[in-house]
Amino acid sequence: MITLTDFLLVGALLFCTGIYMIVSKRNSIQVLIGIELMLNAAILNLVAFGKYDKLNNGGQVFALFAIVLAAATTAVALAIILNVYRRYKTIDPDEIKNLRD
Amino acid sequence: MNLLTLLIFIPVLFALVIVLLPSSQRGSFKYITLLATLLQLGISIYIYLNFKTGAASAGINHEDQFQFVQKLPWIGLNLGSMGKLQIDYFVGIDGISVTLLVMSALVMVVATLASWEIKSNLKGFFLLFLLLDMAVMGVFCALDFFLFYLFYELMLLPLYFLIGMWGGVRREYAAIKFFLYTLFGSVFMLLVMVGLYLSVNDPATGSHTFNIIQMMNPANYTSGSVFSAAAHQTILGMPARTVGFVVLFIAFAIKVPIVPLHTWLPDAHVEAPTPVSIILAGVLLKIGGYGIIRICLGIFPEIASSGAFWLGLIGVVSILYGACNALAQRDLKRLIAYSSVSHMGFVLLGIASQTAEGVSGAVMQMVSHGFLSSMLFFLVGVVYNRVHDRDIYHFRGLGTQMPQYTAFVMVAFFASLGLPGFSAFVAEAFTLAGTFKSPTVNGLLPYWMAICGSVGILLGAAYFLWTLQRMFFGKVSLKGGEVWKIALTDVSIREKLALIPMAAAALALGLMPSLVFGKINDSVLALIQFLQAK
Amino acid sequence: MNNAISYTDPSIFCYAILAVALPLFAALINFCLPVKSKAAGWISTLAILVGCVLSAMVFAAVWNQQPQHVQTLWFTIGTTKVFAGILLNNLSVMMLLLVSLIALPVHIYSTAYMKHDDRYSRYFTYLSFFCFSMLGLVVVDSLVLFYAFWELVGFSSYLLIGFWFTKDKAVQANKKAFIMNRIGDIGLLSAIIIIFAKFHTFDIATLFINDNLVFKSVIHDGLWISASGQIPAVWQYVACIGVFMAVAAKSAQFPLHTWLPDAMEGPTSVSALIHAATMVAAGVFLLGRVYPLFTDSELTILGVIGCFTAFMAATIALTQNDLKRVLAYSTISQLGYMILAMGVGAYGSSLFHLATHAFFKCLLFLVAGVVIHEMQHIKEENNLDIDPQNIQYMGGLRKKLPVTFIAAVVGSLALIGIPLTSGYLSKDGILIQAFEWSEGRSAWLKLIPAGALFTSWLTAFYVSRLIVKVFFGEFRLLKKHPEIKLHISDGGWQYRVPLILLAICSLFPLFSLNPFFYEKAWLFESLKPAEFMARENIYHTIIPIGVNILSVFVMYAAYAIYVKRNTFSFPQTGFLYRLSYNQWYLDKIYRKAIVKPILGLGKTCFWFDRNVIDGLIHLIERSSRMVAALTAWSDKHIVDGFLHLMAALVQSIGNFARKFQNGKVQYYLYSMLLIVLILFVLKILI
């Protein structure tokens, strides 16, 4: 039988993969994918914990809500990346240092 | 207009005139200064003649017995919880100061006459000279400690520049040495002055006061204050009043000067130009003695009694040590400087005896030494001006070359070594008499001090006579040969005008000591009584 | 304070004051005259002549009467009133008359003697000033004034000894004289101060005559007690020592006598007046004034010293070749007699001898002046290189200078003490009383009269030697330089009159109608002490006879030796000769033992001043400069360094912090992660 722990493990694995991608990839798209992975890890956890709310299925509802939001943010993020590319001719996050003081 | 105020500030008025005159008029500066000093002399003689004597005008510790008093509130700051800052412009004289005033005024005239030799930067010289004149007069008249201190420090500045700018070869060294010595004394004096201020209350206003006469009354000290006699406060483990006395004494003793705080004197004298030497020896040294009488004895009488032995010892040591040193000199000016140390030792000895004879003798000695040392320094200046040398070994037989000059030198030398008929004899004899009387009258000094002091008189004869023999007698033989022979002309009329009043004053005081004793007697008696009552 | 005046005639005081003041006026007038003015001599002489007459009037009025005393307040010091006034008693009027009487012939003599001097009027200024001081000294009534005149006398003597101030020897002599006198002055000053502290007055009349406070005080239990209080007895001794020092300095007693022979560098007329007759007698006069101060044992010491001085000076006089030096030592010797007389209680004899000695010694000096003057004349006329005072060159002058010769003989007979002269009267008085005094005292005190006796024979010898060498035999200078021309004579009346006058005064009639018994002399009778012993013992007969017989022998011996043999002098070998010739080496001893150490002390003091005291000051200065340098360094390196350190620290922290702010999003995330992880780890660990 698949237990809650297994779901959480998979979620953690996904989350770590996501983080790794975020901090190490040289391409903003890949970073964005990492972010999606982390989101999905979170959604997986929501669904897994949903078993404690069988009456309202709050977990699944939140998951759906999060998926919708994720899609929206991804769209915005892609738009930003596009703009960044237009301005800097690169989407390597190491090259973009304008946040520096 | 108060006469004392006028006396003090006349030099400033004339200094302003000099400031306003253009440099093209520099030839007139010396005459302006001479006029100022003559005016001062006139006023001081008027004051002297109108000075009332008698037990009711003795002064010392009775404010109402001072004469020619002017008292104006000067600085009166309300300091809130700290009370009121009360500094008065308070001048007045009693018997102790009046004779010194006349003496100083006369010395100033002579010093002005000696200033004819100054050739460079006349404006600066006479300005500083007049400033010094004002400060000196102020010191003798001030009865407010703050005012006293102000004048006292004000003397230092002109002197420093007068020595440092118009002096001899090593003038900077001498000026700085003089400045540091005196400053060392007066800085600590400032501390004691502030301590006294905080300890003393004016009974009339209730606020702290700098009034010297109030400081003499033990009842005016607030209980528990630093210098209150009843409080027995200590500073660094020593009784506070002893510390206060010692500090003030050192400050004045440097001026006197005493051994071993005297080494500024020979250097300053040797390097200073003649008029400054005259003022230094004639007036400045007296301020030390005057300060000891007025302030050390007045404010800390009981310490003065318990420390009398040491005061007397210092006096005796100064007499003998100064005389021994003078024996070894070959620079005429340095010789006279050391003889000053020796003569001023008598002042200290007389003060220490705390007898009427001793203190009167001390004051007499101050007046007499004022005249005689001025005369001596003037005489050195005469020779120095002509050939720019004062080494005793470089001259011989000046008696033939400059007979009138030699006559003046003999008068000055013999008067200084205590020939009867001149003032120094009366002063020294009575100082010693007072010293010898002290053990039987108040038991302060041992008998032997008087005897030791008299040996100083003997040594005085030795060095003066040696100088006379070496420098003035014998056949003419000068180091500078014919050039000097032409340069060494006899005294001019101006020089005679300066010398004769001095010699006459010394002679007059020797024949009629009452000229001084008559004026100071009541004050001295009051002082002795005050010291005995403690 | 005016007391015990039985009758007062104010004019007496006027005369006395005038007698004192006239020479002062003369001095002042002369001082204003041009230096070569010849009027000066007559002004001074006139002053002293009038003074002499006035003195005689005062003398006549006061002698053997009550002491006269008048005073006025001089000044007040504290509660002490110091009076000035004059006190005329037997002692002072005698001195007053004596001084002016001696001064008169000396003045007359000087007008001729100093005639050719460039500073003629100065000489008379000084001489008159001296007369003023000396006359003032004898009449004043207060110890302060006494001291004042005492020193003025010394001062005028200084001026006169060094009158020829271009002569090095003269100025050295006057310096020496003044300083030695100063030693005495210090003693006198100390004594006066002690007396003042003890009795609270300076008045001589109160102290020694009327109330005689000093005499009434007693020494008991280590304290000196009188009605006015008590002080330790040692100060009584110090006072006596002080007075003795004063006496010894002024009257040239051992050990302070060495200035007097040197003082002969002054003009001879000055030596006659000051260094023979008057000033040097001031010491004896002082003893007379303060006699009650001395206790019996102190008087004995005085006697011993007087006797020793008399003897020592006589031995030195035996061998000296300088005419004036011989006389100077004889003066010292005679003064020794006077002190001795004071010491043995022969108060009257001492003063009597003072008076007689003044006349005959002044006479001898004036004689010497004539001789020296003539020798100088010969020297200048013939361009010789000789010392005009050296008796080796003289001889046989009795024919050339007859008046001088007679005066010299009278003077020297008086000095030896041959009967019919005044010297006999006074000197035998001293000898007799010295012998009487030594009766019943310890044996060694008998040496005093014995020494005095012996000295009187020595005196006979050296005086005879002098006279014989100068006036008898043949003129030795002529023998040596036969080519020289001689134009010498006794000189004008200004020389002769004083000599004759003084020669007459040196004979007995002035003092006594009885030429043999000293106690019949009127001067002595008035001054003798009350308990004087009458002529009752053997000494009164034996001593005069013994002394004089032997003296005559000695004189003959001298004549025999120096005229018959007529050699230049004795063989000059032997320790005693050298001791005498070199004046007992005292000058050398003083120079080595006193003058040099004092000068050394002066140098040491100066070295101490320069190096120790000033060194200390410089050390303080240097060390404060070092402290300043140290603070400057620490300011630069430590205080500032700390500040720089802080700045650097802040900077490095900032630099470190800005590394986290490099603008790389991933880096931010990375750090965030790291921190979260650290937090977790910490959470777990803690």
Side-chain angles (χ1 to χ4, degrees), chain C residues 4-7 61-69 88-89 210:
Chain C
I5 295 172
S6 53
Y7 84 98
V62 177
W63 185 253
N64 284 345
Q65 306 290 332
Q66 277 291 315
Q68 300 288 306
H69 187 197
L88 300 172
N89 63 354
N210 296 333

Side-chain angles (χ1 to χ4, degrees), chain A residues 19 22-23 25 93-94 96-97 99-101, chain C residues 658 661-666 668-670 673:
Chain A
I19 279 190
I22 287 172
V23 297
K25 289 305 167 193
D94 270 4
I96 302 156
K97 293 177 193 163
L99 275 177
R100 204 168 68 172
D101 59 330
Chain C
R658 29 187 296 197
Q661 191 110 358
N662 56 1
K664 297 176 192 169
V665 182
Q666 283 175 306
Y668 293 170
L669 277 170
Y670 180 72
L673 193 67

Side-chain angles (χ1 to χ4, degrees), chain C residues 30 35-46 48 100-131 160 163-164 266-275 324 362 365-367 369-370 373 490-499 502:
Chain C
N30 287 345
V35 284
K36 283 185 185 172
S37 164
K38 292 286 176 244
W42 298 116
I43 292 170
S44 289
T45 312
L46 187 69
I48 204 75
S100 39
L101 214 56
I102 302 273
L104 181 60
V106 173
H107 273 76
I108 297 172
Y109 183 92
S110 298
T111 54
Y113 191 77
M114 300 301 288
K115 195 164 53 191
H116 301 295
D117 199 275
D118 286 342
R119 291 161 67 243
Y120 184 80
S121 80
R122 284 287 169 277
Y123 171 83
F124 279 99
T125 309
Y126 298 162
L127 199 64
S128 286
F129 187 70
F130 168 77
C131 291
L160 284 164
F163 179 70
W164 289 312
T268 308
S269 45
V270 167
S271 310
L273 178 62
I274 300 183
H275 304 119
K324 284 177 78 182
C362 184
F365 265 102
L366 294 187
V367 165
V370 173
H373 192 77
D490 277 326
W493 68 270
Q494 292 111 314
Y495 285 136
R496 289 167 203 237
V497 170
L499 290 183
L502 286 168

Side-chain angles (χ1 to χ4, degrees), chain C residues 368-387:
Chain C
V370 173
V371 172
I372 293 166
H373 192 77
E374 297 307 324
M375 291 299 283
Q376 179 76 25
H377 190 64
I378 295 171
K379 176 187 165 183
E380 281 168 7
E381 203 176 28
N382 298 293
N383 275 327
L384 297 174
D385 184 28
I386 55 161
D387 177 5

Side-chain angles (χ1 to χ4, degrees), chain B residues 173 177 262 338 357 469 474 521, chain C residues 78 80 165 175 609 614 618:
Chain B
Y173 171 77
K177 199 169 178 182
H262 67 285
Y338 276 112
E357 287 85 357
Q469 180 225 324
N521 217 3
Chain C
T80 310
F165 66 83
K175 180 182 72 175
D609 212 47
D614 254 12
H618 290 154

Side-chain angles (χ1 to χ4, degrees), chain B residues 393-436:
Chain B
Y393 287 100
H394 293 169
F395 298 88
R396 207 180 178 87
L398 284 182
T400 318
Q401 181 74 22
M402 305 162 79
Q404 292 184 357
Y405 176 69
T406 307
F408 279 115
V409 168
M410 278 183 75
V411 168
F413 275 16
F414 275 96
S416 293
L417 64 79
L419 188 74
F422 290 102
S423 48
F425 160 67
V426 181
E428 282 166 14
F430 280 95
T431 306
L432 293 175
T435 310
F436 197 84

Side-chain angles (χ1 to χ4, degrees), chain B residues 125 128 132 155-179 182 264-265 267-273 276-277 280 284:
Chain B
F125 181 86
L128 290 169
L132 179 63
M155 294 184 312
L156 211 57
L157 182 87
L159 266 175
Y160 172 76
F161 286 111
L162 285 172
I163 298 173
M165 291 175 70
W166 286 269
V169 186
R170 295 170 71 224
R171 53 178 179 262
E172 278 97 355
Y173 171 77
I176 289 175
K177 199 169 178 182
F178 163 75
F179 191 81
T182 5
W264 63 270
L265 181 101
D267 283 310
H269 272 310
V270 168
E271 299 307 328
V276 179
S277 286
L280 258 183
L284 267 273

Side-chain angles (χ1 to χ4, degrees), chain B residues 191-210:
Chain B
L191 293 178
V192 174
M193 182 179 95
V194 172
L196 280 168
Y197 167 75
L198 293 174
S199 306
V200 177
N201 270 334
D202 188 346
T205 59
S207 57
H208 292 310
T209 178
F210 278 111

